[in-house]
Amino acid sequence: MGITERKWTVHEPGDPEKVGRLATELGVDRVLAELLVQRGVETFEQARRFFRPSLDDLHDPFLMKDMDKAVERLHEAITKGQKILVYGDYDVDGTTAVALVYSFVKRFTKRVEYYIPDRYDEGYGLSYKGLDWASDNGIDLLITLDCGIKAIEKVEYARSKGIDVIICDHHLPENELPGAVAVLDPKREDDHYPFDDLCGCGVGFKFVQGYSQKYNIDFETLEPLLDLQVVSIASDLVSMVGENRVLAHYGLKRLNENPRKGLLAMLSLAKLEPGHVTIDDIVFKIGPRINAAGRMESGRLAVELLTAMDDRSAFQIGEKINDNNNERKNIDREITQEALEMVQNGTALETENVTIVYNPTWNKGVVGIVASRLVEAYYKPTVVLTKSNGFITGSARSVAGFDLYASIESCADLLENFGGHVYAAGLTMKEEHLEEFCRRMNRFVSGNITKQELTPVVDIDARLDFSQITPKFFRILKQFQPFGPGNSNPVFLTEDVYDAGNGRKVGAGGVHLKLDLMQESQPYRQIPAIGFNMADFYDHIKAGNPIDVCYSIVENFYRGSSTLQLRLKDMRERDELI
């Protein structure tokens, strides 16, 4: 049985005086002013900065610890004709970061190559195989992206081979840092960089920005790299505030107006309309395709796509990656079904406070996706494990508010390695530790998780009447973009609505609902709505019964025309209490 009950929490309206003053100053609907105050925007000047992000608001890269050392060492490698290797993880963040730094460095030297480790053969991060390859190929300087912050022994191994290392990472470091020439990571305890939630590609961008600043290279030459930046920011789910919001804003502009050839091929294969690509499109359509290369074949393919110089090769590589993605979808559907059945029939390793499932034959490349699906179904911290190269390995995903990384860290002595964030992590262990790992995880989670954290919540930003959804309202709401963590697409609650009579089930198996909603108080205004996986409500709605709905407002583009649509988050029958 999956979860059904979600708790609806409606934000209390902000200070009425602040909200009223801002609404008057900006000439906007009070609800929009309320949303701004919730986001810490309380004055006309703050609103101007929010609605008009500026590249001038990017921080000085030299505020980041070790930036001067990293820039100096890269310059030395370029001027002395040393061989440089750009090394990154096989996911979207890693491959976009490698493409970004490689593209930049290649402008100044031909003696640069890139390396993406094989997910199955080498695993995450710096590998001995990769370092041996670097040594065999005469590499003098290795730049890691989206990995390396914990690679103490491997950096030492690189140094023993005469290879200098610059680390660009954004993961949490241990107490001891690797002995690299420079360690760029805004999460270092001794780093006072003003913004610590950059993605790996973001740290890479700050590195090339620092180099450009030091050696008088015009910032405009970095702007073509911003389409890579927004793909990474969106896909890695870092917060959409501060520096990330500025980079994502200009990255989306670049992606829509003048994307690199590889991304243009991806837009075409994902059937997206250039000029109307959103953060959601990246998260659900572009990111998964780029990720599929590393999951099904090789992350190197993704970098080839993102650095392709002509339309023909970009499209050929894009098609190959698209095929990988279709194959990935089939595999992840099968494994998800098997994992759900394990939980239902009692063959999961643990289901009390944490869901842990294990099958040694599962494809390592999709276990993270399967973990996310199980969280959706059972709303508990989840670990999905398989076997690879003689070790048990897997991915973990959390629920809102619970620090999953801390629970995995509490089992560190049982693990060969682990890494990640509060809500997502990867781990590897010997088979003999599996039983103890499950026992400890369950104990840690049960001792630290609250009942509230085990209840899925729909956070509602404001109540709204359909009469308030005017063209002006939506035009201003669109300027709240780009949306993401910390600046989510607002969720509204409208009560006492019903379908105009055209409601129908859609999608494979008829699991989604397509409705034209009307509010009791304004029976002549119909607004199209889509409710994914909400077909259970069909009979109730079809009978003409009223419902309460919470939703985001989105814009649909189809064959050149744009329509407004409500994307339903949840719905309730009217007789239920909120």
Side-chain angles (χ1 to χ4, degrees), residues 52-119:
R52 302 282 180 271
S54 167
L55 290 165
D56 293 339
D57 293 333
L58 294 179
H59 303 301
D60 178 353
F62 287 95
L63 295 174
M64 195 179 290
K65 188 90 174 169
D66 280 5
M67 183 61 76
D68 50 346
K69 295 176 189 170
V71 165
E72 194 178 311
R73 182 64 187 89
L74 175 59
H75 190 62
E76 181 190 342
I78 289 170
T79 52
K80 289 183 176 174
Q82 295 179 345
K83 282 190 88 172
I84 302 165
L85 183 66
V86 184
Y87 185 114
D89 191 21
Y90 38 68
D91 67 1
V92 180
D93 192 18
T95 52
T96 51
V98 167
L100 186 149
V101 173
Y102 173 78
S103 302
F104 177 83
V105 174
K106 203 173 170 209
R107 290 174 46 206
F108 307 102
T109 175
K110 289 185 175 149
R111 292 174 68 77
V112 58
E113 298 191 50
Y114 58 83
Y115 188 99
I116 305 288
D118 182 272
R119 180 189 284 264

Side-chain angles (χ1 to χ4, degrees), residues 444-498:
F444 186 96
V445 175
S446 61
N448 291 278
I449 203 161
T450 65
K451 192 178 176 188
Q452 288 86 346
E453 286 166 348
L454 287 168
T455 306
V457 173
V458 179
D459 279 313
I460 297 164
D461 294 274
R463 296 171 188 272
L464 195 67
D465 279 338
F466 284 175
S467 61
Q468 291 170 277
I469 307 175
T470 62
K472 181 186 177 184
F473 180 93
F474 187 59
R475 192 173 67 246
I476 295 166
L477 186 65
K478 278 201 296 186
Q479 292 176 47
F480 279 59
Q481 296 184 51
F483 295 127
N487 183 43
S488 300
N489 194 348
V491 175
F492 301 105
L493 166 63
T494 304
E495 296 165 295
D496 205 9
V497 306
Y498 57 95

Side-chain angles (χ1 to χ4, degrees), residues 159-355:
R159 285 174 63 181
S160 75
K161 299 265 188 182
I163 301 169
D164 280 347
V165 179
I166 294 172
I167 290 170
C168 302
D169 204 349
H170 69 127
H171 295 98
L172 286 164
E174 304 281 15
N175 293 331
E176 186 189 346
L177 294 175
V181 171
V183 178
L184 303 181
D185 187 335
K187 289 193 177 75
R188 281 177 63 164
E189 266 193 23
D190 59 348
D191 193 318
H192 304 297
Y193 188 72
F195 186 74
D196 73 350
D197 201 27
L198 292 166
C199 56
C201 188
V203 177
F205 182 81
K206 297 309 295 187
F207 181 24
V208 302
Q209 185 194 355
Y211 189 91
S212 301
Q213 199 169 298
K214 175 82 185 280
Y215 295 104
N216 301 316
I217 299 158
D218 199 312
F219 186 89
E220 279 178 19
T221 63
L222 300 181
E223 288 181 15
L225 303 173
L226 292 175
D227 55 359
L228 293 168
Q229 188 66 72
V230 71
V231 169
S232 177
I233 288 170
S235 303
D236 219 49
L237 298 176
V238 287
S239 58
M240 197 63 78
V241 298
E243 202 161 30
N244 282 342
R245 190 162 185 272
V246 175
L247 290 167
H249 174 87
Y250 285 94
L252 263 185
K253 190 171 158 57
R254 184 86 196 178
L255 186 62
N256 277 298
E257 292 173 5
N258 189 16
R260 66 191 49 241
K261 294 185 184 300
L263 287 175
L264 189 60
M266 278 288 96
L267 297 184
S268 169
L269 289 159
K271 297 183 169 53
L272 292 171
E273 203 166 323
H276 302 294
V277 181
T278 65
I279 293 291
D280 267 5
D281 291 328
I282 297 171
V283 172
F284 296 111
K285 295 184 176 177
I286 299 172
R289 282 172 165 81
I290 294 171
N291 252 337
R295 292 185 194 282
M296 308 310 300
E297 194 170 334
S298 165
R300 190 173 176 86
L301 204 57
V303 183
E304 285 174 21
L305 172 81
L306 298 171
T307 55
M309 300 305 287
D310 63 275
D311 295 323
R312 189 162 167 271
S313 60
F315 206 81
Q316 281 176 340
I317 301 164
E319 280 190 311
K320 207 169 179 185
I321 287 176
N322 206 43
D323 291 344
N324 284 335
N325 190 50
N326 290 332
E327 185 189 348
R328 186 272 308 166
K329 282 197 278 193
N330 291 334
I331 290 171
D332 108 50
R333 206 176 290 123
E334 285 169 24
I335 295 176
T336 299
Q337 194 51 46
E338 287 174 27
L340 289 167
E341 284 168 10
M342 287 171 85
V343 176
Q344 287 157 11
N345 66 24
T347 57
L349 297 178
E350 190 57 68
T351 58
E352 191 184 347
N353 300 294
V354 57
T355 306

